[in-house]
Amino acid sequence: MRGISLGPDLLAGLTLWGVLVPEAMAYAGMAGMPVQAGLYTLLASLPLYFLLGGSPVLVCAATSSESIMMAAIIAPLAGGDATRYAALTALLVCVTGSIFLLAGLFRLGRITSFLSKPVMTGFTFGLAIYIAASQLPKLLGLPRGQGDTLLQVVHLAEHLGRCNPVTLGVGASALGLLFLLERVAPRLPAGLCVMALGIFASRFLDLGPGHGVDTVHAFPSGLPSLAFSWFSLADMKTLAPAAAGLALVAFSQALGAAENYAGRFGQRVDVDRELTALGTANLGSALFGGLLAGGSMSSTAVNVQAGARSKVSTLVSALMTGLTLCYLAPIFQGLPEAILGAVVMHAVVRLMKVAEVRRYYSLNFNEFVLCLIALSGVVLLDILPGLVVAVAASLLRLVLYSSTIDISVMGEIKDCGVTWVAMSQHPTAREIPEIRVLRLEGALFFANAEKFRSAVVASCARPPTAKTLVLQFKANRRLCITSSDMLLALARELQKASVRLAFVDLSADMVRVFRRSGLAALVGEDRMYQSIEQAVADLQARPTDNIDFM
């Protein structure tokens, strides 16, 4: 708790409360749950993250992308039964929280590194488009269409003539005011201000019954009771794969938000601690009948901009949320649904990072394409298939990068003593006659083993002819069976071509594999050297020495 300054943290907590309450209510609607479920989430997630989390400013709350994913997962299983919907939602949050907790306890935080930043940006951008399309019916006063994002947009376009002009006016005004307040008064809780105006206008102008504007119904006051319900193993098995994908997306966003501000506060993110904290927070949310809680990027940014310096600000927000549930719940009755839709639309615009996508295009076209693949997967296939596409795109990137071979031909520079360098980077470097030294820039493993063999054979065939080949494996600490078998076959191939083979910079594990596989006996124990200098000096001293390959 070092560095607490109560004044700024109290003010930041009140500001954050003004943002979280309307967003939580809106996200509950997106998830297909009653509006109070969003507030129940805050009541559990904020205090539990305060106790266990590591980031001083991360806001552990429901987010737009995770809420819409929950709806996509639960709706087909609930069959229109509200009670079953709530029970399955609690189970999904519980399973996802358990995945977080187990991953933290077993230190599996490194798994998130398999989702590259461009792929996550594309996936999040696609989610933003999906969410925006899902909120347009609220702003237009139209029923929501069926199918993927494009079909929903087509449905709305076909029924534009039937939209409620009053609902459209309320939604458009709220959205415009949100953007205006964000620009002219960034520290003002714009969402809360717009909600207050909407409630006043709804009651003064009789927007609900009088003009056909959908409004928020009354929800119970008071703190939540435990919402645990019995579930079947079949439901758990059905939800487990979706929960794993949901956990991966939620934690990737939380980790991104935490790391974005870690440097500013002189801290490093403990990935496994964050997993444990998020897991506990979600188990608490599930018991209260809340939503999935992750790391809200937008709310975290609001927290920092409001002057937060410690987790005290989130604790203040949690206390204010409790007061809202106990004493302020009746005030929200009559709030137009269009305003909640506007709050969500305003939030998801931040996820549409057009400038970031353009930056990918200018820096690396391949990663730009992967970003578009992830984005298109969500828009064209729906959220869960889109998640699969995003993960597949990241794995494809990993495979493409890891299977690439980069081999440097090494030469010596004698200006300041003998130094061996890559000849492609140092034109003055020269090879030793009849000795070719090759260094693998990266690790050798099953995905690139055959490419490595082909590249080595091709290098030996290029002039000037080399009678001795020295292979340096500076980046390899271990050796897989595929690579070991490949090197054994390569040694025999070079033997037939009357080329001596030697190795440099072998780790203890590689030496062990060489001996057990028979490669050390084939090449010779004395052909495994500590450095290039040592190898070249020894091989030059015995130019006619021939290895008796077996």
Side-chain angles (χ1 to χ4, degrees):
M1 301 298 297
R2 182 179 58 185
I4 291 178
S5 180
L6 289 181
D9 282 318
L10 288 173
L11 180 59
L14 293 173
T15 304
L16 184 61
W17 165 73
V19 172
L20 286 178
V21 166
E23 284 191 349
M25 295 174 66
Y27 295 160
M30 290 172 57
M33 293 287 285
V35 291
Q36 66 268 24
L39 302 181
Y40 295 165
T41 308
L42 298 177
L43 208 59
S45 63
L46 293 178
L48 288 171
Y49 186 85
F50 172 85
L51 293 173
L52 301 174
S55 172
V57 293
L58 180 69
V59 178
C60 181
T63 70
S64 55
S65 56
E66 292 145 24
S67 298
I68 198 68
M69 286 181 70
M70 290 178 65
I73 295 167
I74 298 299
L77 302 175
D81 185 337
T83 302
R84 177 166 168 76
Y85 195 105
L88 288 175
T89 299
L91 179 58
L92 178 62
V93 175
C94 183
V95 173
T96 307
S98 299
I99 291 173
F100 279 140
L101 194 58
L102 290 173
L105 293 176
F106 286 99
R107 301 189 174 277
L108 300 180
R110 69 190 73 177
I111 293 176
T112 56
S113 61
F114 286 101
L115 278 177
S116 68
K117 184 178 180 180
V119 169
M120 277 305 302
T121 299
F123 178 72
T124 306
F125 202 134
L127 277 176
I129 296 173
Y130 185 101
I131 294 166
S134 72
Q135 296 305 299
L136 282 174
K138 287 185 179 180
L139 298 178
L140 299 173
L142 291 172
R144 183 179 176 182
Q146 301 296 320
D148 58 33
T149 303
L150 294 181
L151 290 177
Q152 291 182 42
V153 172
V154 170
H155 170 82
L156 291 176
E158 292 175 345
H159 295 81
L160 274 179
R162 302 179 186 177
C163 75
N164 185 329
V166 179
T167 300
L168 176 60
V170 170
S173 300
L175 190 59
L177 187 57
L178 285 168
F179 281 109
L180 178 64
L181 290 176
E182 181 183 43
R183 179 176 292 272
V184 301
R187 292 198 174 191
L188 194 69
L192 198 61
C193 293
V194 170
M195 285 179 64
L197 289 174
I199 293 170
F200 175 79
S202 178
R203 294 179 179 176
F204 183 75
L205 301 175
D206 191 25
L207 295 179
H211 295 86
V213 177
D214 292 333
T215 59
V216 173
H217 300 295
F219 61 90
S221 299
L223 300 177
S225 57
L226 296 182
F228 181 82
S229 59
W230 293 103
F231 57 86
S232 66
L233 287 177
D235 287 336
M236 179 175 284
K237 289 179 181 179
T238 301
L239 290 176
L246 191 57
L248 184 60
V249 172
F251 186 68
S252 296
Q253 293 185 9
L255 187 61
E259 288 183 337
N260 190 43
Y261 296 103
R264 181 181 300 189
F265 293 91
Q267 293 188 344
R268 295 182 62 185
V269 177
D270 184 338
V271 177
D272 298 307
R273 178 180 178 181
E274 296 301 312
L275 278 167
T276 303
L278 288 175
T280 307
N282 278 290
L283 291 178
S285 180
L287 287 176
F288 282 179
L291 313 176
L292 184 73
S296 174
M297 290 183 283
S298 57
S299 298
T300 301
V302 169
N303 196 28
V304 173
Q305 290 170 5
R309 292 295 177 267
S310 75
K311 291 185 286 184
V312 168
S313 63
T314 57
L315 188 60
V316 170
S317 295
L319 292 174
M320 290 301 300
T321 301
L323 292 175
T324 301
L325 281 166
C326 291
Y327 302 108
L328 305 179
I331 295 177
F332 293 97
Q333 184 177 357
L335 173 68
E337 291 279 358
I339 290 182
L340 291 179
V343 170
V344 174
M345 291 283 279
H346 177 253
V348 300
V349 165
R350 300 187 185 98
L351 304 179
M352 299 180 183
K353 299 181 179 179
V354 177
E356 187 75 353
V357 175
R358 287 177 178 170
R359 187 172 73 90
Y360 299 155
Y361 178 80
S362 64
L363 292 178
N364 189 316
F365 184 75
N366 290 335
E367 299 221 53
F368 167 74
V369 170
L370 291 177
C371 175
L372 292 186
I373 290 174
L375 188 158
S376 303
V378 177
V379 173
L380 299 178
L381 302 177
D382 214 333
I383 293 179
L384 291 180
L387 174 62
V388 174
V389 170
V391 173
S394 277
L395 293 177
L396 175 63
R397 173 185 177 273
L398 178 64
V399 170
L400 290 176
Y401 274 38
S402 61
S403 62
T404 301
I405 282 292
D406 183 11
I407 296 179
S408 296
V409 179
M410 307 297 288
E412 64 171 354
I413 297 178
K414 295 184 177 180
D415 295 340
C416 302
V418 177
T419 303
W420 286 84
V421 294
M423 295 181 64
S424 59
Q425 299 177 4
H426 299 271
T428 59
R430 294 291 180 266
E431 285 190 273
I432 300 295
E434 298 187 344
I435 297 179
R436 177 148 298 161
V437 182
L438 301 179
R439 181 175 69 193
L440 176 60
E441 308 289 357
L444 177 67
F445 68 117
F446 63 89
N448 59 17
E450 185 55 34
K451 287 185 178 180
F452 175 79
R453 187 201 66 80
S454 299
V456 169
V457 171
S459 178
C460 289
R462 287 196 301 267
T465 304
K467 294 182 179 180
T468 300
L469 177 65
V470 180
L471 297 179
Q472 184 183 30
F473 292 102
K474 194 169 185 178
N476 257 84
R477 298 300 95 187
R478 295 176 178 83
L479 196 66
C480 66
I481 292 175
T482 303
S483 301
S484 172
D485 290 347
M486 179 276 297
L487 290 175
L488 202 59
L490 176 63
R492 294 192 177 108
E493 188 173 353
L494 293 175
Q495 174 220 359
K496 293 179 180 179
S498 299
V499 176
R500 289 189 301 176
L501 180 60
F503 296 98
V504 169
D505 241 335
L506 299 179
S507 67
D509 185 75
M510 289 187 71
V511 171
R512 179 183 60 81
V513 173
F514 275 28
R515 287 170 178 165
R516 293 186 178 182
S517 66
L519 183 58
L522 180 65
V523 174
E525 289 274 354
D526 58 345
R527 293 296 180 267
M528 295 186 290
Y529 300 96
Q530 296 296 320
S531 66
I532 297 177
E533 291 83 357
Q534 181 189 24
V536 170
D538 183 63
L539 293 168
Q540 280 184 308
R542 295 183 286 179
T544 58
D545 180 30
N546 291 316
I547 299 173
D548 183 17
F549 289 104
M550 298 159 82

